[in-house]
Amino acid sequence: MIFVTGGAGFIGANFVLNWLAQSDESVLNFDKLTYAGNLNTLKSLQNDPRHLFVQGDICDTAVLDSLFAKHQPRAIVHFAAESHVDRSIHGPAAFIETNVNGTFSLLEAARKYWTGLSDEAKAGFRFLHVSTDEVYGTLEADDPPFSETTAYAPNSPYSASKAASDHLVRAYHHTYGLPVLTTNCSNNYGPYHFPEKLIPLVITSARAGKDLPVYGDGLQVRDWLFVTDHCAAIRRVLEAGKPGETYNVGGWNEQTNISVVHTICDLLDELAPKASGSYRDQIRHVKDRPGHDRRYAIDARKIERELGWKPAETFQTGLRKTVEWYLNNNEWVAQVQSGEYQNWINLQYQQG
Ligand code: NAD
Ligand code: DAU
């Protein structure tokens, strides 16, 4: 079986659903269920004996020790994290706790468990750490994209905490020989994305008749990858990646934020037209994110060359699927927008 952390979040849950759609190997899904974790996303697995869900914190080494001893995973796929840059600006402590201390606890538990395995099981074991392109900092318009050898230069508390976790993972390979793999991926989008992030925020706010907040001039650039393509990349790295290596994962799809918002509005105008006017009328430029990285871009040639992975979706096909998914899943949206979500929206957007 494989042990997945953060498997009730956006990418983790997509990964678990995709994994069990193509494999009979069981998943132990370990997740704290913070505001970002959602068991509704995993509803279809409720009676599936291949999916075991345990609520818990990756900082809790004792629980990890006993779960590893009992279930003997052959791999750990580590998604669990605090993931939202804006929240890291308002409250960085949780990011240090989960992303740095939590990854450290998980590595310690993994090392202890791995050390006690047979030579054969030890050689086959993998610790796959899911990280981000944000560790590389920001690019100028004409800089080459981030490669695996680009120097780390994180700019937000979120990216600094992820960079720290990447360094710990690397050190556990170098010092102890733990067979680790790290992936650094660009911006994901797709079904089950929590509507604090740009794409799901814009889709759900547009439908609710609310303002569509664009930070600053909206000319910041991100590389966008459909979430199932990221899941496929992780499966491929787990299967064939070389321990100790890092792999950049990206969509070859750089877009300015304003262009992403325009495309979403145009799709909504086609699929769910308003009585009058366009969804574009709801766009508002609001104050910029402090320290906002201007541009991210990923050179994903290594994973293509060495492991044969490349994205299957284009931005056009992926974004259309995403908008359609949100239009067809009102119940999921309503549930994630209840409770804590409204407090966050008030805190983040109150000053316009
Ligand atoms: P998310 O915020 O949607 O989900 C995170 C999950 O981790 C939640 O289910 C949450 O309950 C769980 N969690 C948080 N703290 C925990 C703890 N202490 N112990 C156990 N579980 C805990 O995040 P996501 O967007 O799915 O991102 C998953 C991973 O991928 C993160 O490591 C993130 O840094 C990385 N990543 C995300 C993107 C992106 O665009 N979303 C891109 C590249 C890399
Ligand atoms: O690059 C990978 C990263 O992508 C991941 O590591 C993070 O976990 C993930 O959250 C994402 O970070 P970003 O900060 O790029 O994503 P977000 O959706 O928050 O913002 C995307 C861009 O849109 C960014 O330039 C900020 C801008 N933005 C965002 C929000 C929420 C707006 O203009 N308005 C908004 O309201």
Side-chain angles (χ1 to χ4, degrees):
M1 64 119 64
I2 62 165
F3 189 100
V4 171
T5 73
F10 164 49
I11 305 174
N14 273 287
F15 178 82
V16 170
L17 291 166
N18 281 197
W19 180 273
L20 292 173
Q22 7 201 320
S23 159
D24 275 335
E25 188 175 17
S26 301
V27 173
L28 195 158
N29 186 346
F30 185 76
D31 193 297
K32 186 176 174 180
L33 295 181
T34 67
Y35 78 91
N38 187 351
L39 287 181
N40 272 343
T41 305
L42 300 163
K43 236 184 192 163
S44 61
L45 300 176
Q46 234 164 18
N47 298 314
D48 192 327
R50 300 169 304 162
H51 180 240
L52 176 62
F53 182 82
V54 177
Q55 184 171 5
D57 191 328
I58 53 166
C59 297
D60 190 343
T61 318
V63 170
L64 294 169
D65 285 346
S66 78
L67 287 172
F68 291 165
K70 181 167 175 204
H71 296 282
Q72 301 279 303
R74 63 131 180 135
I76 296 167
V77 185
H78 177 34
F79 294 95
E82 288 293 336
S83 69
H84 191 33
V85 173
D86 293 321
R87 285 188 194 251
S88 84
I89 295 167
H90 284 279
F95 288 72
I96 305 307
E97 181 61 8
T98 284
N99 300 1
V100 185
N101 296 339
T103 300
F104 169 67
S105 301
L106 186 66
L107 281 165
E108 272 297 89
R111 178 168 77 93
K112 191 167 158 193
Y113 164 68
W114 174 75
T115 305
L117 293 176
S118 68
D119 286 349
E120 195 191 342
K122 249 181 165 169
F125 183 80
R126 296 288 181 270
F127 183 109
L128 192 154
H129 175 57
V130 180
S131 192
T132 170
D133 59 358
E134 300 201 10
V135 297
Y136 299 119
T138 188
L139 294 168
E140 299 293 337
D142 51 359
D143 283 342
F146 303 131
S147 77
E148 288 79 1
T149 54
T150 301
Y152 274 34
N155 288 321
S156 72
Y158 163 69
S159 54
S161 68
K162 291 296 289 187
S165 67
D166 291 10
H167 291 323
L168 283 168
V169 169
R170 177 192 150 88
Y172 271 63
H173 176 71
H174 191 81
T175 304
Y176 304 113
L178 190 70
V180 306
L181 300 154
T182 296
T183 54
N184 293 88
C185 187
S186 58
N187 285 60
N188 284 214
Y189 67 100
Y192 306 112
H193 204 180
F194 194 79
E196 64 187 355
K197 309 281 169 60
L198 181 70
I199 288 182
L201 177 77
V202 167
I203 300 170
T204 54
S205 301
R207 289 290 288 148
K210 296 186 177 152
D211 288 354
L212 310 181
V214 172
Y215 296 161
D217 62 9
L219 296 178
Q220 304 84 3
V221 172
R222 297 291 182 268
D223 171 64
W224 293 96
L225 180 70
F226 194 63
V227 64
T228 53
D229 277 329
H230 187 191
C231 295
I234 291 170
R235 285 197 302 275
R236 185 66 193 134
V237 172
L238 187 61
E239 178 179 58
K242 190 167 162 240
E245 291 290 310
T246 68
Y247 298 90
N248 281 0
V249 184
W252 300 107
N253 174 50
E254 289 183 54
Q255 301 274 340
T256 61
N257 292 337
I258 192 67
S259 152
V260 169
V261 174
H262 282 157
T263 310
I264 293 170
C265 290
D266 296 350
L267 278 165
L268 284 171
D269 284 341
E270 177 199 328
L271 298 168
K274 301 210 279 189
S276 68
S278 161
Y279 289 97
R280 287 191 186 209
D281 302 339
Q282 291 166 232
I283 295 173
R284 301 283 177 272
H285 287 265
V286 298
K287 80 172 161 39
D288 210 348
R289 173 185 280 175
H292 200 169
D293 285 337
R294 197 67 181 164
R295 173 176 167 240
Y296 303 143
I298 280 273
D299 178 344
R301 282 177 299 177
K302 176 178 172 182
I303 189 171
E304 179 170 354
R305 189 176 61 244
E306 296 187 7
L307 304 180
W309 174 89
K310 58 179 187 202
E313 296 286 346
T314 64
F315 194 55
Q316 286 66 35
T317 58
L319 198 58
R320 179 174 286 273
K321 280 184 187 171
T322 305
V323 170
E324 284 172 346
W325 188 88
Y326 279 90
L327 291 175
N328 293 329
N329 286 275
N330 290 324
E331 207 182 305
W332 185 93
V333 172
Q335 186 267 328
V336 295
Q337 287 181 330
S338 61
E340 198 273 344
Y341 178 74
Q342 207 46 54
N343 299 338
W344 165 252
I345 294 297
N346 294 340
L347 174 70
Q348 174 65 6
Y349 299 100
Q350 64 197 350
Q351 286 146 15

